[in-house]
Amino acid sequence: MTTTPPSGSLVDPFGRLHTDLRVSVTDRCNIRCQYCMPADGVVFKPHDAILTFEEIERVVRVAASLGVRKVRLTGGEPLVRHGICRLVRMLSAIPGIVELAMTTNGVRLGEFAEELRRSGLQRLNISLDTVDREKFRQIARRDALPKVLRGIVAARRAGFQHIKINAVALRGQSEDDVVPLARFAREHGLELRFIEFMPLDGANRWQAGDVLASDEILRLLSEGVGPLEPIPESEVHGVATEYRFADGIGRVGVIASVSQPFCHQCGRIRLTAEGRLRNCLFSPEEWDVRSLLRGGGSDEQLIAMFQAAIGAKRAARGAEDGQFARSGRAMYQIGG
Ligand code: SAM
Ligand code: SF4
């Protein structure tokens, strides 16, 4: 049975209801993943160019009045934004926001996990592509695996449930990591999700041949760990296709954003660190919320801006024809 969304909610021309807002709180990061950031020469936004916590709170309040129910803090690396727990407290107090989550590289979780939990953060996704220290150093260009592992332990101790581990899958790089990551996740009671490498790398070198497709990942898992059983769509929330290991220990998801795009079920809208609203990871269009806020704009004007962004959403991958639109912005500049 389909129900009609309440009037004033964010429904795009294709009937997709938008209830999920991704908020980037910084474009800075303490590591340099090859598939996201260039090695050096990165020019970050000056502090006064990025939204203040009060500005973010106002945007989220307005979004909540338009039916947004879920907010995910991301970046850059959200835990390098000074005072991030204060923002978590502010957002967790907004009526209508029923899920407040964060995606982090985990490097600083050892310092912040407890305070984040006390401040009202409900869910954590931790990015981890390998459990091999040297391989981690190559991918992230920083020797930070021990800190991430300590961060995961701290997150569990702080009481976070259903922690997800996100691994980006690249052909020629990730094949040897798939099985050890799955074993690690099973051992520690973590949910594991593989994300196909998308054309959002800072170096702009992505090629279709670099993607390790979900089918291949599933084959590696079933051969190396054990048989997998699909979890029915009705039990899955979000864009991953999920499986459980037939022995009952652990589940794993694949986000086939390249090989089997899920744009038809996309309900996400994004706010970049410098206050641009985006209706798609790939779309070149942005709406300038920061100028509106700093120019004394009203909540009604902000609502109109949200509606304009959603009204302009394209069918798939930011384009009419389903081919990737290339905005020239990398993942760390948008917020994954
Ligand atoms: N720094 C945090 C982290 O790494 O979790 C949050 C921001 S990061 C941009 C958000 C997610 O995007 C991470 O899970 C990361 O692995 C993923 N990501 C970055 N670049 C990507 C790319 N080119 N293709 C697919 N996923 C990517
Ligand atoms: Fe930083 Fe996250 Fe990008 Fe890695 S994926 S460079 S941790 S923002």
Side-chain angles (χ1 to χ4, degrees):
M1 192 184 77
T2 52
T3 47
T4 313
S7 68
S9 47
L10 295 168
V11 181
D12 77 3
F14 304 90
R16 294 172 292 199
L17 175 66
H18 289 67
T19 57
D20 181 342
L21 176 67
R22 309 259 152 154
V23 177
S24 172
V25 295
T26 180
D27 58 348
R28 288 165 202 253
C29 190
N30 43 5
I31 60 176
R32 292 284 181 280
C33 305
Q34 308 237 12
Y35 48 73
C36 179
M37 276 203 181
D40 37 41
V42 193
V43 181
F44 296 113
K45 301 279 172 207
H47 193 69
D48 60 359
I50 64 173
L51 294 189
T52 64
F53 289 167
E54 285 68 24
E55 288 169 335
I56 293 174
E57 183 195 34
R58 182 167 170 212
V59 178
V60 173
R61 265 186 202 283
V62 165
S65 78
L66 292 167
V68 164
R69 295 289 165 261
K70 185 173 158 189
V71 171
R72 176 170 296 278
L73 299 176
T74 181
E77 170 49 37
L79 295 182
V80 303
R81 175 86 190 250
H82 187 68
I84 186 71
C85 294
R86 183 167 78 87
L87 179 66
V88 170
R89 286 194 291 280
M90 289 162 77
L91 301 187
S92 65
I94 295 178
I97 300 303
V98 297
E99 189 179 312
L100 184 58
M102 179 182 283
T103 301
T104 169
N105 62 28
V107 174
R108 299 195 68 186
L109 259 183
E111 297 162 62
F112 288 114
E114 268 194 29
E115 195 185 345
L116 286 169
R117 186 83 187 123
R118 276 204 310 275
S119 302
L121 190 73
Q122 288 155 304
R123 280 179 172 267
L124 266 178
N125 285 6
I126 303 172
S127 304
L128 179 65
D129 305 317
T130 178
V131 287
D132 179 282
R133 185 167 177 174
E134 177 51 25
K135 184 88 172 275
F136 186 101
R137 200 191 56 73
Q138 282 167 21
I139 296 172
R141 302 181 180 113
R142 299 289 187 274
D143 180 21
L145 180 65
K147 280 193 174 166
V148 178
L149 298 181
R150 284 200 291 277
I152 293 172
V153 172
R156 296 212 52 183
R157 204 175 287 142
F160 284 100
Q161 306 282 319
H162 306 293
I163 298 171
K164 289 203 175 89
I165 299 294
N166 287 347
V168 180
L170 279 82
R171 181 171 298 285
Q173 175 177 289
S174 309
E175 288 87 340
D176 294 343
D177 296 310
V178 169
V179 168
L181 272 172
R183 293 206 173 111
F184 173 81
R186 274 157 59 93
E187 217 173 280
H188 294 88
L190 306 161
E191 292 177 27
L192 176 62
R193 294 191 317 184
F194 291 95
I195 308 169
E196 290 178 351
F197 176 39
M198 293 183 274
L200 291 164
D201 54 315
N204 210 6
R205 292 214 191 98
W206 181 94
Q207 293 186 344
D210 299 334
V211 180
L212 182 63
S214 296
D215 290 354
E216 180 80 0
I217 297 168
L218 294 170
R219 188 185 62 74
L220 289 166
L221 287 169
S222 50
E223 285 176 13
V225 184
L228 290 162
E229 294 168 350
I231 298 176
E233 251 178 62
S234 56
E235 291 173 36
V236 175
H237 308 285
V239 293
T241 311
E242 296 207 23
Y243 299 81
R244 59 172 70 90
F245 287 100
D247 63 6
I249 306 172
R251 54 198 273 172
V252 61
V254 284
I255 303 189
S257 24
V258 179
S259 65
Q260 298 157 47
F262 40 78
C263 299
H264 61 282
Q265 61 186 89
C266 176
R268 292 178 183 174
I269 184 158
R270 293 182 151 80
L271 181 68
T272 67
E274 78 275 31
R276 303 282 195 277
L277 212 51
R278 295 178 63 94
N279 62 20
C280 176
L281 266 176
F282 301 103
S283 171
E285 291 166 283
E286 297 183 334
W287 284 260
D288 187 357
V289 168
R290 188 186 69 197
S291 294
L292 183 71
L293 296 174
R294 294 186 184 175
S298 65
D299 284 357
E300 287 66 35
Q301 285 173 301
L302 200 46
I303 288 171
M305 196 169 263
F306 264 100
Q307 285 166 340
I310 294 298
K313 190 144 166 157
R314 306 293 162 88
R317 295 165 161 176
E320 300 298 356
D321 60 2
Q323 300 298 313
F324 285 112
R326 302 292 285 265
S327 67
R329 298 255 249 158
M331 196 65 131
Y332 75 96
Q333 297 168 308
I334 303 171

